[in-house]
Structures are given as C-alpha cells and as structure tokens.
Amino acid sequence: MFRNMMKKDHALGIDWGVFYRTVIALVVPMALQNLINVGVTAADVIMLGAVGETALSGASLAGQVQYIMTLFLFGLTSGATVLTAQYWGKGDVKTIEKILGMTVKAAVAVTALFTVAALAIPELLMKIFTSDPAVIAEGVKYLRIVAFTYIMIGVTQAYLYVMRSVERVIVATVVYLCSLLCNIVMNSIFIFGLFGLPAMGVAGAALGTLCARILEVILTFGYARIFNKEIKLRPKYILHTDRELFRDFMKYALPVVANEIMWGLGTAANTAILGHLGSSAVAANSVAQVARQLATVVSFGLSSAAAIYLGKTIGEKKLEHARAYAKRFIWLSLIMGALGGLIILAVSGPAAAALSLTDTAKGYLRIMFFVMSYFVIGQAFNTTMVVGIFRSGGDTRFGLILDVSTMWGCSILLGFIAAFVFKFSVPVVYVILMSDEIIKIPITFWRYRSFKWLKDVTRAEVTAAG
C-alpha cells in the first residue's frame, strides 16, 4: 500500500522536501503566535494575582467580553482564509485586496458594537458573569479602558490573518511578540506604580493592554505601508464592497462564526459543570486546560498551515495534489498530537507535586492529565481536519454540525446528567465531558474520505467593486 502511494506521488511530480520545508515555515511562526497568546494571559494572571484575588477575578471575567468578540473575529478571518488562500493559488491579487478590505470593514463593524456595549453598559456585562459587587467594580474599571482596544484588535487581526493566508506568517509573529513585550513592561509600570507613578491595579493592566494594542496598530500599518508592496490595503475596497464576493464571504464565514461561538459556549459549559462539583475540581481543571493549550500550540499551527497550503493548491487547480497533501497533514497531526500527549504525561507528576493544591485536587489533576494525554491526539486530528483540510475547500458548515451534535448533543448533555442526576464522581464526569473529540474521529474521517470538502470556490471573474 505504501509503495503504491509513493508511485502515485511520484507520478504527480510532488517534491516532498519542498512540501515539508514550506509546512515548517508556516507552522513554526503560527505555533509561536499561539504561545505568545498564552503568554499574554499568563502575564496578566501573574501580575494581577500579586495585587489581589478581586482584581484578578474582575479582569479575568471582563476579559470574557473580548473572548466572545474574538470568536466572531476568528469566524470572519477564517471565512476570509477560505477565499484568500484559493485566490492566492490562482494568482488573483486584485480579488485578494477586495477580500482584505471587506474583512477589515466587517471586523470594524463587529468590534465597534462590542466597544459601544463595553462603554455604555459595563456593569450589566459584568453581571452576566458574577454577582459579587467588588468583582463587578474591578471589572468595570478594566472594561472602560480596554474597550478602546477592541477596534484596534479587529483591524490588526483582520489584516494579519489575511497576510497569513498568502503565506506572510512571520509578520504576525513579530507584531504579537513586540506587543507581548510591551504589555509586560507597561503592565509592570502601571499595575505596581513603578518610576514614581501611582499603583493603578486592574486599571493599570487595562492601560498596559491599550499601549500594547496601539503598538500593534503602528507596526501593522507600518508593514502595510512600507514593506508590503504586493497586496495593498486600499480604502476604496474598504468603503465599497463587491456584492458577489461579499455573498461568497458570508457563505463561508457565517458557519465558522456560529461554529466558534458554539464551541466557546461549550467550553464555558464544561467549566460551569465542573464549577458546581467543588473548588478542587475547578483548580485541577484550570491547570489541565493550561497544559492542553501548551501541548496543542503546534497542532493548531498545523491546522492553520493546512488551510493555507491546501487552499492555495486547490486554487491552482491541483486537486490530486491536494488529496496527497491532505493525507500527509493527517499523519503530521497524529504525530504532533501524540507528542503533545507524551508531554502531558511527562509533566503530570512534577506538576501535581509542585503546585499548592489539596490532596483531592492533586488526585483529580493526575486523572485529568491522563485524560488530556489522549484528548489532545483527538483534538489535533479533528482540528487539522475541520479547521485545516475541510475549510481549505470551503466546507465550513460541516464543522458547525459536528460540534453541535457531538459536543452539545453528547458530551455536555451526558456530562450534565452524570454530574447532577446520577451524581457520578468528578473523574467520571470529566471523562464524559472530554469525550467529544474521541466521538468526532470516525465522523471526521468519513467526511475526509468522501472528498466533499475538495472544491474550488473561486469565481472565474469577479465584478468591479460597488
């Protein structure tokens, strides 16, 4: 079988050395971006944790507003990726510029709504997440400053994600790394009152974030203006939208927006169920989730690389090549997932020993780490399939159907029943809640083998903007 695969690949004229070098060049910067995002959260937690539990809780819960906003943004940028990568393979730069202008315009519209809400009704937004007056007060302080960053986040994310789709991945890594360093420095100054400034606590954290976002915008527009000579952000394409292209954009973006929201709400539902099973379960789960994030940074980078690489290949009309590349991405996802699982198993003992947790929480943590060790393999496989391979061919609705059915219809529903009807133990409930990625595997593989995802979604001719 393997010999037949090699003969077929040879007949297609595939240079696998070039393939792997290109994939590595895509994956490494995007994996670093994922690590940087984890680092931003960790820096805020560590610094505000030194201020006090109330300040940390207020900023953390206020951050949920931005988290929901980023789910919308990720859906929009993923819809743009579907189109951009294929038009990049086709060599149609003019249409890519139209998609870029349209994506920035949509991102500004979405983030403007969140900005208005955070400035006009911050107390009401905080009451969604907590009833503690002290935590609400701290969260309101944070929201009233950080709200001014939302539109900046939308613009930079829209631009940088479209650049990723045309294989300009390093610029986003540089921008976000500089932003992280700026955030750490300015947070330290404003939160703790260094260099003679007053200690501002949670407001200082928000002000540090604002400084970092301003730097992101400056670096992004500097790159767009000075270095990017090939694909321009043109005001005429922001102001005037191509109607046919907009219909294509919404066709692929809306299912991803809905998918990301349902997935995000599902993650919150898992946390809520465990939150009612005691503080030991909450503490152990919070550590396990950090371990999962760290173990999957490469896998998530791989899924984004698959979407870009396969989308470009499909745009070049090389459908048989896309089939061969997709198969390699699947094997790479399994390898990366297995490595992530081994890392989690390796650190489970030291992590439980090093953390100041109760004996009960440590017992939960060991079990959760074991569950995560195989969960990340399933997540790596499914994410590469759904976010990478399927979306590269415009198959965005399948992921929505898959997540709603397996997550909400199986793992969350059964986990809720196990926890509150049958009163099962925390480990049993956790295994059930984390079962959705395993349930997905045969379904995603069936979808892959059907090749219904393999479609060229570009238009032969795109109309003039207007």
Side-chain angles (χ1 to χ4, degrees):
M1 179 179 176
F2 183 73
R3 185 178 298 174
N4 290 335
M5 286 171 52
M6 294 299 291
K7 285 182 178 178
K8 185 175 181 181
D9 294 346
H10 181 72
L12 290 172
I14 295 175
D15 186 334
W16 289 111
V18 172
F19 169 81
Y20 287 118
R21 285 193 295 272
T22 306
V23 170
I24 290 170
L26 290 171
V27 170
V28 171
M30 289 189 285
L32 287 173
Q33 289 169 37
N34 294 333
L35 265 179
I36 290 167
N37 290 334
V38 175
V40 170
T41 303
D44 286 347
V45 167
I46 292 169
M47 292 186 191
L48 286 175
V51 174
E53 185 177 326
T54 303
L56 175 59
S57 299
S60 176
L61 293 178
Q64 293 301 304
V65 176
Q66 182 176 318
Y67 172 69
I68 294 169
M69 181 186 77
T70 56
L71 294 179
F72 281 90
L73 288 177
F74 185 74
L76 292 173
T77 52
S78 294
T81 297
V82 171
L83 294 171
T84 306
Q86 289 204 14
Y87 278 109
W88 181 240
K90 194 177 179 180
D92 190 344
V93 173
K94 181 179 178 180
T95 300
I96 292 172
E97 290 182 341
K98 292 181 180 180
I99 296 167
L100 174 59
M102 188 166 49
T103 306
V104 170
K105 185 177 183 177
V108 169
V110 168
T111 52
L113 291 175
F114 279 86
T115 301
V116 171
L119 291 174
I121 51 170
E123 293 91 353
L124 183 60
L125 293 176
M126 287 301 300
K127 286 178 181 178
I128 295 173
F129 303 104
T130 182
S131 58
D132 187 326
V135 174
I136 290 173
E138 291 295 292
V140 167
K141 291 179 189 176
Y142 187 85
L143 274 177
R144 281 180 171 155
I145 297 173
V146 84
F148 291 102
T149 70
Y150 291 167
I151 292 177
M152 289 185 273
I153 292 171
V155 172
T156 54
Q157 185 168 323
Y159 182 85
L160 294 175
Y161 271 61
V162 170
M163 289 304 102
R164 280 177 26 165
S165 303
V166 295
E167 301 175 281
R168 307 291 196 275
V169 293
I170 295 178
V171 59
T173 305
V174 173
V175 168
Y176 288 133
L177 179 59
C178 292
S179 174
L180 170 63
L181 296 174
C182 177
N183 196 22
I184 292 172
V185 172
M186 302 311 291
N187 270 10
S188 302
I189 293 171
F190 293 132
I191 291 174
F192 303 114
L194 304 181
F195 306 113
L197 294 174
M200 299 176 66
V202 70
L207 197 56
T209 299
L210 178 59
C211 292
R213 298 306 183 195
I214 292 172
L215 178 62
E216 284 180 12
V217 171
I218 292 171
L219 292 175
T220 299
F221 276 95
Y223 170 80
R225 180 75 176 176
I226 300 170
F227 297 103
N228 192 354
K229 304 297 184 183
E230 189 172 5
I231 299 171
K232 296 290 187 179
L233 178 59
R234 301 185 188 275
K236 66 178 180 179
Y237 292 147
I238 297 175
L239 297 174
H240 303 286
T241 300
D242 183 305
R243 293 186 181 89
E244 287 188 351
L245 200 58
F246 180 72
R247 283 195 291 270
D248 290 344
F249 176 77
M250 297 307 291
K251 177 181 178 180
Y252 301 115
L254 287 180
V256 183
V257 171
N259 191 0
E260 294 302 320
I261 291 171
M262 294 305 294
W263 182 85
L265 291 175
T267 302
N270 285 342
T271 302
I273 291 171
L274 291 169
H276 286 84
L277 300 181
S279 59
S280 295
V282 173
N285 181 56
S286 63
V287 177
Q289 290 303 317
V290 172
R292 178 192 62 79
Q293 289 176 351
L294 292 173
T296 54
V297 290
V298 177
S299 297
F300 285 178
L302 182 68
S303 67
S304 298
I308 295 166
Y309 197 93
L310 292 175
K312 180 185 177 184
T313 304
I314 294 170
E316 293 171 336
K317 314 296 184 185
K318 298 178 180 178
L319 301 187
E320 287 302 317
H321 287 72
R323 289 189 184 215
Y325 294 146
K327 191 175 295 183
R328 291 297 173 99
F329 275 114
I330 292 171
W331 282 110
L332 288 172
S333 73
L334 292 172
I335 293 169
M336 292 300 103
L339 288 174
L342 290 173
I343 290 170
I344 288 177
L345 288 176
V347 304
S348 61
L355 295 170
S356 299
L357 301 174
T358 64
D359 290 340
T360 302
K362 287 183 178 181
Y364 291 160
L365 184 60
R366 291 188 184 94
I367 295 169
M368 288 179 179
F369 268 43
F370 174 74
V371 173
M372 277 297 165
S373 69
Y374 64 79
F375 176 90
V376 296
I377 299 174
Q379 188 169 57
F381 176 83
N382 292 319
T383 302
T384 299
M385 285 286 202
V386 175
V387 178
I389 295 173
F390 297 165
R391 288 182 187 174
S392 72
D395 189 9
T396 57
R397 285 186 296 177
F398 179 77
L400 171 61
I401 297 168
L402 183 70
D403 271 343
V404 171
S405 59
T406 59
M407 198 175 196
W408 286 94
C410 293
S411 62
I412 294 175
L413 175 62
L414 296 177
F416 179 87
I417 293 172
F420 304 119
V421 177
F422 295 109
K423 309 292 184 183
F424 287 159
S425 65
V426 170
V428 173
V429 172
Y430 190 78
V431 169
I432 295 172
L433 289 174
M434 296 295 110
S435 64
D436 60 301
E437 294 293 348
I438 306 305
I439 297 171
K440 289 177 187 176
I441 291 174
I443 304 172
T444 52
F445 188 69
W446 165 80
R447 184 68 173 185
Y448 160 75
R449 290 295 299 273
S450 73
F451 292 106
K452 292 181 179 179
W453 55 270
L454 189 56
K455 294 179 181 178
D456 182 349
V457 300
T458 62
R459 291 180 180 271
E461 183 179 352
V462 180
T463 60

